Amino acid sequence: MSAEKAKADRRRQARVQGAWNSGPARRSGGGVKQTNKVDGGDASSAQQKPQVPAANQEFVFDGSVSEVLAREAELASKPVTVDKDGDYELSIGRNDVKAVVQMRQKFLSDAENRRLLAELNRLPWQQRMGLDQGGQPYQEPRETCWFGRPYTYSHVKWEATDDSWPQVLLELKNRLADELGVEFNSVMCNRYRDGKDKIGWHADDEPSLGRHPVIASLSFGETRRFMLRRRDCRVQTLRPLIGDPITVPLQSGDLLVMRGSLQEDWLHSVPPEYHDKESRINLTFRVIEHSPNEQLCLRPGPEDNENKQVTLSARPGQMQAQLCCYRSLIVSNSGLVAEASAALDRLSWRSAGSCDVAQLDLAASQPQELSPLARLAVALATLTGNARLKVGAYARLAAVRLDHGSKHLPWREANFGDGGPCQTAETFVAVLALGDAKALAQRPLEIEKRLNSPAQGNLKSGQIFLRPGDAVTLLHGFGADWRYQLGRAGRAEPHEPAVFLFLTPDQRDIG
Ligand SMILES: O=C(O)CCC(=O)C(=O)O
Ligand SMILES: [Fe+2]
């Protein structure tokens, strides 16, 4: 085991097993200048109240598995109040991504606030109709307006109230860019007229925001309780680091930043109050990545070795459809890519009508005997971190060759939950490009949202251009709502072959 890995494992162990001890200061990214004060403001008081970790604490506990589970259950059941500055790591979810809230009280001074509140009250507020879970219209119990890129959520289309941003919102957007290093392009404005106005349990997990959005919330006027609770359906994959539910009293001038898996693993709300309340305005600044009906186009830039993850669409309560584009495989595997390209001619190709295909039996070979193509597939599986693709019974490697303008791979769906050996609704298809670079430039991998798909999200279709050694993975809910193809080239004539390796956890043939 490498020293790095051993260290990472120790860190992971430490996270799930124990109590909060002080350690070196850590930051969860971003520029919130925190004071690490929690419940009284020093490490010793935080130790007495282990359910509220400060950012400079490590979680250390040597206990049996049952003790660890009991400890997690205890952590999960203690209500917590976040009322001090600091970064609060609430849980660790899929791929070890943490749900984080960062509190920065009085980010705006009282004097600034009074001026800003007066200006914000002049925004074009309107009480709108929303749709409930059952699709029934209802009048929202608050006033709202929206500035920035349009997007659709819960079948409600948000168009910018006005193309130009009011000066007061621009000023705040710029303040946040300075503070957090994030260029927000949209803002949701909520006005709670009195204590009865509210927002119900929800997550800001619309696909156009990406999987792990940074959302910055600024509050003005009356103090209201912002509540957080974990989503029930994810409990198994979530390790709580802090109690649930969480109350965050948001006062005028407070900045609350939501990060990491917070929208994926937690819900939030502003409940009604029993006592009389004055009005409160809240602004949540967001980065909207796509517009409605937008076509995704991923092209490599010059010397582009960046990997990119895109959220394509989402259905409430289900896994998002995602795509990852890997352009870095070649960096540490250039020799292998060359060897694999040379091995393409030795495959036993057969015609499958629209294209030529070859199947590689990964299960039959021992890893050390694997062909360069299979070793490349293993390198890809390692890069993508998908355990199910470790060479074995579940992994299937097929090659598709296109060497004539008319050759193509027709639209394919990627549902592997139906009867394959890998009974899962979760999609995993990895596509690795090889062969002639010019031919590949004519043959992007095309994706398309299926007709009548109820999934939410602004993207409708996409094209991903791959160079030899680049790869794409189609992930999670992809199969339910999307399909993919390799289209015909511009002209019907012979050309150098473009080859695509398809790695799936399925036994079915590609042809
Ligand atoms: O008012 C708040 O603090 C939260 C508003 C909110 O959650 C939203 O606009 O999505
Ligand atoms: Fe929200």
Side-chain angles (χ1 to χ4, degrees), residues 19-80:
W20 296 98
N21 279 339
S22 35
R26 277 183 283 139
R27 278 168 77 145
S28 312
V32 169
K33 291 179 201 76
Q34 61 185 39
T35 52
N36 295 336
K37 279 191 279 174
V38 175
D39 273 3
D42 61 38
S44 61
S45 77
Q47 260 175 349
Q48 285 153 21
K49 298 188 173 178
Q51 75 274 26
V52 187
N56 65 346
Q57 294 174 305
E58 281 277 326
F59 200 54
V60 184
F61 176 78
D62 287 317
S64 67
V65 170
S66 58
E67 281 176 298
V68 170
L69 292 177
R71 181 90 192 113
E72 285 190 349
E74 191 191 328
L75 278 176
S77 63
K78 285 213 171 114
V80 172

Side-chain angles (χ1 to χ4, degrees), residues 8 23 43 73 85 94 108 137 164 175 294 357 400 405 412 425 427 445 472:
D85 275 4
R94 285 170 161 273
L108 303 164
S164 54
R175 280 285 295 269
E294 191 174 311
V357 298
V400 168
R412 288 181 62 79
T427 313
L445 177 76
V472 171

Side-chain angles (χ1 to χ4, degrees), residues 259-327:
R259 284 182 185 275
S261 55
L262 194 84
Q263 307 302 333
E264 190 171 43
D265 292 332
W266 291 70
L267 300 172
H268 56 266
S269 69
V270 176
E273 300 280 343
Y274 296 110
H275 305 291
D276 272 359
K277 286 275 179 189
E278 292 295 309
S279 84
R280 164 184 184 256
I281 288 177
N282 175 265
L283 310 175
T284 40
F285 287 83
R286 303 140 188 252
V287 180
I288 298 280
E289 293 180 349
H290 308 288
S291 308
N293 295 333
E294 191 174 311
Q295 186 185 35
L296 175 73
C297 183
L298 296 182
R299 282 179 193 277
E303 294 172 48
D304 184 359
N305 291 321
E306 277 213 4
N307 300 331
K308 193 169 165 52
Q309 177 175 310
V310 180
T311 300
L312 302 171
S313 64
R315 298 194 198 202
Q318 290 186 28
M319 269 185 288
Q320 295 179 336
Q322 290 188 353
L323 172 153
C324 283
C325 183
Y326 295 92
R327 305 206 186 268

Side-chain angles (χ1 to χ4, degrees), residues 95 211-212 296 298 306-313 320-329 380 383-386 426-433 445 447 459 463-466 469-478:
N95 302 328
R211 184 165 181 196
H212 297 135
L296 175 73
L298 296 182
E306 277 213 4
N307 300 331
K308 193 169 165 52
Q309 177 175 310
V310 180
T311 300
L312 302 171
S313 64
Q320 295 179 336
Q322 290 188 353
L323 172 153
C324 283
C325 183
Y326 295 92
R327 305 206 186 268
S328 67
L329 188 70
L380 177 61
L383 179 70
T384 61
N386 194 294
E426 187 172 345
T427 313
F428 188 100
V429 177
V431 188
L432 195 143
L445 177 76
I447 58 167
L459 288 173
Q463 287 189 313
I464 302 101
F465 290 86
L466 302 170
D470 285 350
V472 171
T473 52
L474 310 174
L475 298 172
H476 308 312
F478 185 96

Side-chain angles (χ1 to χ4, degrees), residues 199 202-204 226 258 263 268 284 286:
I199 187 163
H202 71 282
D204 298 314
F226 179 82
M258 304 184 254
Q263 307 302 333
H268 56 266
T284 40
R286 303 140 188 252

